[in-house]
Amino acid sequence: MSIFILGIESSCDDTSAAVIRDRKILANLIANQDIHKDFGGVVPELASRAHQKNIIPVIDRALSVANIHKKQISAIAYTNGPGLLGSLLVGTSFAKAFALALHIPLITVNHMHAHILAHFIDDPGQEVPPFPFLCLTVSGGHTQIVLVNSHRDMKVVGQTIDDAAGEAFDKAAKIMGLPYPGGPLIDRYAGSGDPGSFRFPHPRVPGLDYSFSGLKTSILYFLRDKLKETPSFIQDNIHDLSASIQQAIVDILMHKLRLASRQFGIRHVAMAGGVSANSSLRKAFQQEKEKGDWEVYIPRFEYCTDNAAMIAIAGYYQYLEGDFAPQDTVPFTRYQS
Ligand code: KG4
Ligand code: ZN
């Protein structure tokens, strides 16, 4: 008999609902919140209010796109962290109430693990990574190298000690006067820029850990000095600046990932999280593959940034193990393994 999981994601500024039948996605809907653009970043209070408004219509629509009745749902899986507490509470409250009303199990999903498990969605043309593999998990709030031994056994072997890679993109964009989220815009401008135009220093951090705060500071000082000489420096060089900043972030990410691959003797390498939508990072992975060094696993764009399909697939594996949550479970804000 098929297993139907309703997945709910509300950890940050996207309200998303998905329905999965076993490993196949039947619906994956996302309501984005444009409201944060005016503020240069996500405003937590506004995010939770928008989730409140969006959650029922998004879930209702997901069920109708999937063409299933609520009585067919086997379990409800939702993100219980990490994320913004007010945002998480909206998904949590809905999921608990709906599970109770339908007399079906409740499944709590770790958002960062779900980004990785998006690789296991049944998707024609997409290869599934074999265990063990390494996953570079890069989002707006996290940057991790994860050793993935199974669907449930994931060990963080390296992580940022300050800003996340997505944050580095967004903060660099903000310094250049671009709206939030700046990552996709830098990616777009970089497409017609020269990545060798400007050089930014790389951090020296021991082991497999990352640091991005120094890069942000060096971009800030570099532009401050240039703007003194030429007030239109950013407008004149937006493509080359974007390409050079993107190159610096990708080089930093790839350096530690290569180190991890050598250290663990693992050549199956995947990427996950919002920043894995970045074209230069995807190209850098492809180059490792072409060199014959790695087998690479790159998710489809729609499963890179926050979405509920990844929550539903994570929920599916937890369902198979009977890993259900009680009604008194509470969300968490910071990453826990
Ligand atoms: O995983 P995600 O959707 O949300 C979090 O869990 O944080 O990641 C969002 C992050 C943002 O920082 C955004 O700027 C970045 O992913 N991002 C990108 C691209 N698309 C999204 N960064 C660089 N290039 C992109 N194409
Ligand atoms: Zn995310």
Side-chain angles (χ1 to χ4, degrees):
M1 209 174 76
S2 289
I3 296 164
F4 290 93
I5 307 283
L6 169 67
I8 300 171
E9 158 62 30
S10 75
S11 66
C12 191
D13 59 339
D14 296 311
T15 321
S16 181
V19 178
I20 201 167
R21 185 183 59 224
D22 300 325
R23 290 172 46 236
K24 202 149 193 78
I25 302 295
L26 302 182
N28 182 32
L29 279 102
I30 302 171
N32 301 116
Q33 303 180 1
D34 274 345
I35 194 162
H36 306 287
K37 278 207 170 85
D38 299 339
F39 298 91
V42 176
V43 184
E45 177 66 19
L46 296 180
S48 15
R49 288 184 201 193
H51 282 307
Q52 288 275 22
K53 212 164 75 192
N54 293 338
I55 194 148
I56 291 179
V58 168
I59 287 167
D60 194 42
R61 182 95 190 104
L63 291 176
S64 67
V65 170
N67 197 21
I68 67 158
H69 190 271
K70 58 182 186 293
K71 295 218 166 85
Q72 288 174 269
I73 306 171
S74 318
I76 296 174
Y78 71 97
T79 306
N80 76 325
L84 302 169
L85 189 65
S87 292
L88 289 165
L89 279 171
V90 178
T92 302
S93 313
F94 182 90
K96 284 183 180 180
F98 207 29
L100 206 60
L102 294 172
H103 305 288
I104 55 175
L106 188 64
I107 299 172
T108 52
V109 173
N110 179 312
H111 178 90
M112 297 311 291
H113 294 179
H115 268 302
I116 298 173
L117 292 171
H119 284 279
F120 294 87
I121 289 170
D122 181 358
D123 193 3
Q126 290 288 113
E127 254 191 272
V128 172
F131 299 119
F133 66 92
L134 289 172
C135 189
L136 176 68
T137 312
V138 269
S139 69
H142 298 85
T143 295
Q144 302 174 332
I145 299 177
V146 185
L147 172 60
V148 187
N149 290 312
S150 74
H151 297 114
R152 307 301 309 281
D153 177 1
M154 301 186 194
K155 191 163 170 255
V156 177
V157 295
Q159 61 189 316
T160 184
I161 58 168
D162 42 54
D163 291 351
E167 228 173 330
F169 270 107
D170 296 338
K171 285 182 176 172
K174 197 171 179 180
I175 295 170
M176 294 196 290
L178 300 175
Y180 177 87
L185 288 172
I186 290 192
D187 195 357
R188 202 172 325 141
Y189 283 122
S192 48
D194 174 6
S197 306
F198 307 105
R199 295 231 165 268
F200 297 104
H202 287 197
R204 288 208 189 96
V205 185
L208 298 175
D209 285 341
Y210 288 110
S211 166
F212 288 99
S213 66
L215 176 67
K216 175 194 66 192
T217 312
S218 73
I219 295 168
L220 187 68
Y221 289 156
F222 172 77
L223 288 177
R224 189 192 57 185
D225 294 345
K226 290 289 181 191
L227 286 170
K228 271 189 206 148
E229 295 163 18
T230 320
S232 60
F233 184 80
I234 294 176
Q235 291 96 302
D236 297 347
N237 295 282
I238 190 76
H239 297 275
D240 289 344
L241 275 170
S242 296
S244 304
I245 291 167
Q246 178 166 280
Q247 189 67 46
I249 296 172
V250 170
D251 285 349
I252 294 169
L253 289 173
M254 292 303 288
H255 171 65
K256 290 294 174 84
L257 197 54
R258 282 191 206 100
L259 222 75
S261 165
R262 282 201 295 275
Q263 193 172 313
F264 291 97
I266 294 177
R267 39 187 307 286
H268 293 277
V269 187
M271 59 164 82
V275 181
S276 58
N278 183 264
S279 47
S280 176
L281 184 61
R282 295 166 93 93
K283 204 186 295 165
F285 264 59
Q286 284 299 350
Q287 282 165 352
E288 294 297 321
K289 181 188 162 106
E290 279 154 24
K291 280 195 285 178
D293 288 352
W294 292 354
E295 291 300 327
V296 300
Y297 304 88
I298 302 175
R300 273 212 285 158
F301 280 112
E302 65 197 277
Y303 301 138
C304 290
T305 42
D306 288 349
N307 65 86
M310 68 186 198
I311 306 302
I313 186 81
Y316 168 77
Y317 286 108
Q318 288 178 234
Y319 185 92
L320 293 182
E321 292 186 10
D323 179 10
F324 304 136
Q327 275 282 332
D328 63 357
T329 191
V330 289
F332 61 93
T333 54
R334 293 177 73 85
Y335 179 80
Q336 45 190 240
S337 52

